[in-house]
Amino acid sequence: MKLPRSFYNRPTLDVARDLIGKVLVHNRRGVRTSGVIVEVEAYIGESDPACHAAPGPTARNAPLYGRPGFAYVYLNYGIHPLVNAVTEEEGSPAAVLIRALEPLDGIEAMRRRRSRRMKGRRARSGSRLGLHDLCRGPGNVTMAMGITLAQNREDLCGRRLYIEDRGREIAPEIAWGPRIGIRVGTEQEWRAFVRAHPSVTGARRRAR
């Protein structure tokens, strides 16, 4: 069942927790890829120095201030697009970053997409990437899923990019820890993940 807009129109930490175990789906040029969400990070409001809304409204962060249940896709350091789900009511800038997936559908397409970004020997090894390496890390999620800046502002209640509930119950396995890959706001334990899952990034031992 596709998640309704009301799912996203809630406190961001509640959405982050409940996204664990849900399935991200992308239909691109007739190819369907999907994966179970096993790691996310929350970014909440202008008072969060790590959130893109920290400087106030800009053209880039406009989707964060928009309606919940839309995608916010941006380039990280000008290299990799990262995909977020916008949360909370319109005018309250917040989102959940999808950091890692356990691949389900379209695994060979994921491998092809990952290997295209490599050269020579690395490309050959990319075509043999292990299942849990395909979508480990937010840049690898978008690369494997074929998500680009074209999906910025995509309606997550639409037909191309959306999140489903397939009835996977893993709540007892959810842990929380500090956000990673940032330089500010690191004291907030707003990263939720499946404990000991092989697709999860970062230092799992720091979780509580």
Side-chain angles (χ1 to χ4, degrees):
M1 179 180 68
K2 191 180 301 181
L3 298 181
R5 199 167 310 282
S6 58
F7 175 92
Y8 304 97
N9 191 14
R10 298 184 295 143
T12 304
L13 292 179
D14 292 345
V15 177
R17 177 197 63 218
D18 294 343
L19 278 174
I20 300 296
K22 302 302 188 291
V23 178
L24 179 67
V25 181
H26 189 210
N27 296 306
R28 177 181 171 86
R29 297 176 180 172
V31 177
R32 175 188 174 96
T33 51
S34 72
V36 180
I37 299 171
V38 296
E39 183 183 9
V40 299
E41 284 178 340
Y43 292 87
I44 309 172
E46 295 176 355
S47 62
D48 177 3
C51 181
H52 285 184
T58 66
R60 182 198 192 197
N61 68 25
L64 290 175
Y65 290 83
R67 296 172 64 198
F70 281 77
Y72 173 45
V73 183
Y74 64 89
L75 277 182
N76 187 43
Y77 298 114
I79 302 173
H80 300 300
L82 305 186
V83 62
N84 304 254
V86 175
T87 58
E88 306 200 14
E89 62 184 7
E90 189 170 0
S92 298
V96 176
L97 170 68
I98 310 299
R99 281 199 60 90
L101 306 175
E102 176 186 317
L104 288 178
D105 301 313
I107 291 171
E108 290 310 312
M110 291 182 181
R111 287 198 172 101
R112 287 195 300 273
R113 288 167 178 164
R114 289 289 312 277
S115 64
R116 285 189 199 126
R117 298 295 297 271
M118 304 175 182
K119 295 181 180 180
R121 183 178 299 176
R122 292 184 67 230
R124 290 191 294 274
S125 64
S127 66
R128 298 191 296 271
L129 280 171
L131 180 69
H132 295 296
D133 295 319
L134 289 172
C135 299
R136 180 190 291 122
N140 291 332
V141 167
T142 54
M143 194 186 310
M145 296 283 287
I147 296 171
T148 69
L149 288 179
Q151 280 68 60
N152 189 34
R153 301 175 185 262
E154 187 84 35
D155 189 350
L156 296 177
C157 298
R159 297 182 177 181
R160 290 183 292 187
L161 180 65
Y162 53 90
I163 301 175
E164 293 181 332
D165 184 350
R166 296 189 185 178
R168 298 174 68 101
E169 181 56 57
I170 56 177
E173 303 173 33
I174 296 176
W176 291 85
R179 297 177 295 185
I180 56 180
I182 56 175
R183 297 179 180 177
V184 293
T186 55
E187 71 282 359
Q188 301 289 4
E189 295 195 342
W190 288 353
R191 181 171 64 100
F193 54 92
V194 178
R195 193 186 308 273
H197 194 284
S199 291
V200 167
T201 63
R204 290 184 280 271
R205 283 183 285 183
R206 294 184 63 187
R208 60 173 173 82

